[in-house]
């Protein structure tokens, strides 16, 4: 591998992971750090400190990290490189609720700084249940580990859920901000770590042909689909409390929507980008209680079958789920954005568990071309389909454009054809957990891909009326879609009322 330009190597630092023994740490964070090291983006002066409740020493922790690591890192794993780097991992036992633990951590970090030549730069990664976020941040502050006055920078990463409604999100933001400044707080929405999501900005703003027609004059409507084929897996207790709305909409789906709908920022400076993303969320027409009933749809899967006939259990049959649960596993909604760019353009969103396939995509449907000239000459009954742009986020990664072409032959016929760009054709596949860019950016102090407090609150402001109405009127028709389908009929009706249909999946 060629040498990395020194200016691209992250600064010396210690990454401190709370929840060091958890799944996220083993499956995602450690492999991501390994990939960054393999790409020569981490400095020699670097260390990892794991904090958790289990009694263990650093050797024991290194062994526990090494178990199964090859599988988590995947392609590109190199045992010799792993052995060399795992020696930079340390462990300290600590109770997240005990102030003493943080004092011991502070002393320990000073020792690690001595051993590894790290100058007091600490990234605290909270890979813990969300109920600990506020408490850990407060203790770090009280132990003098949050302030940047003396030496070195201090940053804290937390992951969704950022609260469970508007009030708790505000309160979490306030608690975090009592110990850390806003610019030290990095809130991860892992959708922003996806290459295909980041590419939407490049696609929109880096090409002369896209942005001029990215508005209500040319676009008929936009659909965002995040469909999952899996059910709730082993997360029953979390999911019963959260439901599909809280789990996906104020975070991942609105992250996608804000990138699609934002105005161009005047630079790629983190705050300019995030200003525009928050601004557009604030321009979404808020739901009145009556609109919640007409503009949103909730669903829960019942038993169903895979396309090859295998039975899939209903949500209420899944382990740990109440037999009369009214938690939604599917959400669809219609949003309108009150800006000059988007006046009159509906945005339809849908997400659900146990759907027919796993696929996330954004479909931009352009307005029809005037049909008159074709209607005289085409075979009767044939429609001229509108152009559609499809931004494929996952699992297939790419961009497609559907347009009409003349079918060769004497009889005039049109057919819709698709022009496709596939990431793997151009850029190959590089091993990634999706966390590499986010951790690297945080180490480098670039918060562009992280959510600011105002963005989080704007998302909850939109969702809160839906939570209120749904909470007050528990669903009586659940289950209302079979596992292995595209969701409840009402989601089709939501679009049919506007004369539209969900894009089919190929
Ligand atoms: C998580 C949700 O944030 O995102 C999960 O809690 C969901 O319920 C997951 O399955 C989807 O992420 P991805 O990257 O698989 O689309």
């Amino acid at each position: 591998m060629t040498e990395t330009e020194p200016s691209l190597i992250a600064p010396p630092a210690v990454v401190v992971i709370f929840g060091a023994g958890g799944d996220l740490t083993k499956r995602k964070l450690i492999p991501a750090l390994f990939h960054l090291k393999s790409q020569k983006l981490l400095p020699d002066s670097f260390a990892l400190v794991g904090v958790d409740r289990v009694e263990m020493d650093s050797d024991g922790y290194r062994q526990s990290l090494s178990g199964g690591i090859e599988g988590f890192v995947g392609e590109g794993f190199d045992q010799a490189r792993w052995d060399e780097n795992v020696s930079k991992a340390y462990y300290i036992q600590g109770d997240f609720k005990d102030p003493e633990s943080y004092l011991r951590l502070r002393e320990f970090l000073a020792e690690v700084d001595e051993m590894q030549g790290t100058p007091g730069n600490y990234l605290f990664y909270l890979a813990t249940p969300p109920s600990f976020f506020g408490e850990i941040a407060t203790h770090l502050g009280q132990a003098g580990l949050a302030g940047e006055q003396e030496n070195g920078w201090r940053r804290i990463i937390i992951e969704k859920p950022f609260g469970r409604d508007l009030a708790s999100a505000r309160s979490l933001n306030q608690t975090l901000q009592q110990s850390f400044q806003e610019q030290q707080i990095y809130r991860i929405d892992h959708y922003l770590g996806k290459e295909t999501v980041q590419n939407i900005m490049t696609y929109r703003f880096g090409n002369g042909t896209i942005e001029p027609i990215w508005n209500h004059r040319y676009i008929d409507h936009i659909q965002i689909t995040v469909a999952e084929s899996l059910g709730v897996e082993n997360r029953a207790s979390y999911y019963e409390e959260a439901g599909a709305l809280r789990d996906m909409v104020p975070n991942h789906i609105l992250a996608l929507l804000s990138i699609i709908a934002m105005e161009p920022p005047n630079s790629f400076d983190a705050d300019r980008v995030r200003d525009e993303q928050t601004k557009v969320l604030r321009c979404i027409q808020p739901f009145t209680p009556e609109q919640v009933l007409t503009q949103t749809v909730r669903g829960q899967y019942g038993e169903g079958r895979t396309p090859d006939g295998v039975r899939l259990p209903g949500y209420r049959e899944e382990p740990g789920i109440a037999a009369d649960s009214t938690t939604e596993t599917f959400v669809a909604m219609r949003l309108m954005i009150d800006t000059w760019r988007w006046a009159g353009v509906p945005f339809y969103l849908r997400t659900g568990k146990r759907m027919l396939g796993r696929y996330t995509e954004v479909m931009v449907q352009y307005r029809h071309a005037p049909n008159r000239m074709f209607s005289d000459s085409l075979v009767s009954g044939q429609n001229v389909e509108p152009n559609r742009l499809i931004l494929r986020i996952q699992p297939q990664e790419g961009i497609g454009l559907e347009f009409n072409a003349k079918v060769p032959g004497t009889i005039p016929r049109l057919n819709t054809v698709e022009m496709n760009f596939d990431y793997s054709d151009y850029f190959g596949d590089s091993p990634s957990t999706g966390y590499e860019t986010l951790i690297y950016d945080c180490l480098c102090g670039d918060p562009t891909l992280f959510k600011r407090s105002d963005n989080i609150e704007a998302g909850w402001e939109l969702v809160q009326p839906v939570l209120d109405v749904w909470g007050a009127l528990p669903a009586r028709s659940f289950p209302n879609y079979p596992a292995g389908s595209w969701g409840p009929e009402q989601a089709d009706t939501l679009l049919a009322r506007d004369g539209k249909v969900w894009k089919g999946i190929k």
Side-chain angles (χ1 to χ4, degrees):
M1 189 190 264
T2 50
E3 280 309 305
T4 309
E5 209 183 291
S7 64
L8 296 178
I9 301 176
V14 183
V15 174
V16 183
I17 303 184
F18 287 85
D23 235 36
L24 177 68
T25 305
K26 284 193 88 167
R27 287 176 188 276
K28 302 281 187 190
L29 307 184
I30 300 296
L33 287 170
F34 184 79
H35 287 144
L36 286 174
K37 187 69 192 169
S38 306
Q39 293 161 21
K40 302 195 174 171
L41 291 172
L42 294 185
D44 291 335
S45 297
F46 184 83
L48 169 80
V49 172
V51 189
D52 222 325
R53 272 164 291 196
V54 179
E55 283 289 353
M56 204 178 349
D57 61 10
S58 293
D59 273 339
Y61 186 53
R62 289 172 196 145
Q63 274 172 27
S64 88
L65 289 182
S66 301
I69 186 65
E70 194 170 343
F72 298 140
V73 168
E75 221 176 297
F77 181 74
D78 180 304
Q79 189 66 49
R81 191 180 299 139
W82 169 259
D83 293 341
E84 183 192 325
N85 285 299
V86 78
S87 63
K88 289 174 181 283
Y90 300 87
Y91 183 82
I92 177 166
Q93 189 277 337
D95 177 345
F96 304 153
K97 292 174 174 284
D98 175 15
E100 266 298 306
S101 298
Y102 296 82
L103 299 177
R104 284 191 295 111
L105 175 64
R106 196 178 68 189
E107 281 170 28
F108 191 64
L109 285 172
E111 285 170 35
V112 173
D113 279 340
E114 282 286 308
M115 287 185 282
Q116 296 293 343
T118 42
N121 294 336
Y122 305 146
L123 189 178
F124 300 106
Y125 200 121
L126 273 44
T128 64
S131 52
F132 287 112
F133 292 168
E135 195 162 12
I136 294 177
T138 304
H139 284 307
L140 286 169
Q142 286 165 352
L145 279 166
E148 292 187 324
Q149 298 87 333
E150 310 122 46
N151 58 345
W153 49 252
R154 308 287 153 87
R155 294 175 193 144
I156 185 166
I157 292 187
I158 61 170
E159 266 199 65
K160 75 168 262 277
F162 310 112
R164 61 182 322 275
D165 52 19
L166 179 58
S168 55
R170 281 187 178 145
S171 143
L172 175 61
N173 281 335
Q174 276 164 12
T175 307
L176 294 171
Q177 286 163 350
Q178 273 158 14
S179 302
F180 290 86
Q181 308 278 329
E182 178 59 30
Q183 67 271 18
Q184 296 174 274
I185 306 171
Y186 287 67
R187 298 175 191 81
I188 285 192
D189 181 319
H190 80 276
Y191 265 58
L192 294 175
K194 293 182 193 283
E195 285 293 344
T196 42
V197 175
Q198 291 168 29
N199 185 49
I200 298 175
M201 270 207 267
T202 311
Y203 181 74
R204 281 190 58 194
F205 304 134
N207 294 298
T209 54
I210 312 302
E211 203 49 25
I213 56 167
W214 200 258
N215 60 52
H216 68 104
R217 273 194 288 163
Y218 301 93
I219 292 178
D220 178 77
H221 75 278
I222 295 187
Q223 299 181 10
I224 301 178
T225 297
V226 181
E228 298 187 81
S229 48
L230 294 176
V232 279
E233 304 293 283
N234 51 5
R235 299 163 74 217
S237 61
Y238 158 75
Y239 203 83
E240 276 283 82
E241 286 292 308
L245 178 64
R246 286 189 173 91
D247 189 40
M248 298 298 286
V249 178
N251 31 67
H252 307 325
I253 295 199
L254 291 187
L256 279 173
L257 181 131
S258 57
I259 293 183
I260 294 158
M262 70 194 272
E263 292 302 315
N266 62 1
S267 76
F268 272 113
D269 171 81
D271 277 328
R272 298 297 75 77
V273 172
R274 298 184 304 169
D275 286 346
E276 295 303 336
Q277 291 173 345
T278 304
K279 240 158 69 183
V280 78
L281 291 184
R282 294 213 171 111
C283 293
I284 299 175
Q285 289 177 4
F287 290 119
T288 61
E290 292 72 29
Q291 283 168 333
V292 171
L293 301 176
T294 55
Q295 312 289 303
T296 71
V297 172
R298 54 186 155 165
Q300 185 193 76
Y301 62 87
E303 76 164 297
R305 298 210 170 261
T306 63
D308 31 12
V310 178
R311 181 184 182 275
L312 296 167
Y315 178 70
R316 292 174 177 180
E317 293 172 59
E318 305 264 21
I321 304 295
D324 57 353
S325 169
T326 52
T327 300
E328 80 286 349
T329 60
F330 176 96
V331 183
M333 52 177 73
R334 175 185 185 274
L335 302 176
M336 299 300 290
I337 302 180
D338 260 343
T339 60
W340 288 92
R341 183 190 287 271
W342 295 118
V345 178
F347 283 69
Y348 303 101
L349 326 176
R350 64 175 167 170
T351 182
K353 298 271 183 207
R354 275 276 191 249
M355 296 181 71
L356 185 53
R358 171 178 186 248
Y359 98 122
T360 299
E361 68 177 39
V362 176
M363 193 278 280
V364 178
Q365 180 157 319
Y366 287 92
R367 290 184 183 280
H368 268 102
N371 262 341
R372 179 77 204 148
M373 61 183 281
F374 290 107
S375 58
D376 285 345
S377 57
L378 284 180
V379 175
S380 69
Q382 199 183 3
N383 287 322
V384 180
E385 295 295 328
N387 296 153
R388 288 165 154 188
L389 174 79
I390 299 130
L391 303 168
R392 298 201 170 84
I393 309 296
Q394 64 186 26
Q396 220 196 322
E397 301 184 323
I399 298 177
L401 180 65
E402 289 181 2
F403 59 95
N404 296 303
K406 178 180 178 301
V407 180
T410 322
I411 313 282
R413 270 182 210 280
L414 291 189
N415 208 353
T416 302
V417 295
E418 187 167 339
M419 213 154 57
N420 258 317
F421 149 66
D422 249 316
Y423 277 69
S424 55
D425 291 345
Y426 282 80
F427 307 122
D429 293 317
S430 58
S432 157
T433 62
Y435 280 80
E436 288 76 1
T437 309
L438 296 170
I439 296 176
Y440 174 78
D441 283 1
C442 180
L443 287 168
C444 297
D446 178 356
T448 314
L449 297 178
F450 297 83
K451 296 225 172 168
R452 227 170 38 189
S453 58
D454 54 350
N455 186 285
I456 301 284
E457 292 176 20
W460 281 114
E461 273 164 33
L462 177 75
V463 163
Q464 188 64 50
V466 187
L467 290 173
D468 292 342
V469 173
W470 287 5
L473 303 171
R476 276 180 290 175
S477 60
F478 283 178
N480 60 351
Y481 71 98
S485 71
W486 285 119
E489 258 178 51
Q490 294 93 313
D492 297 335
T493 315
L494 182 71
L495 271 69
R497 282 203 302 259
D498 294 344
K500 310 194 195 300
V501 287
W502 291 106
K503 176 187 162 290
I505 286 91
K506 288 184 194 149

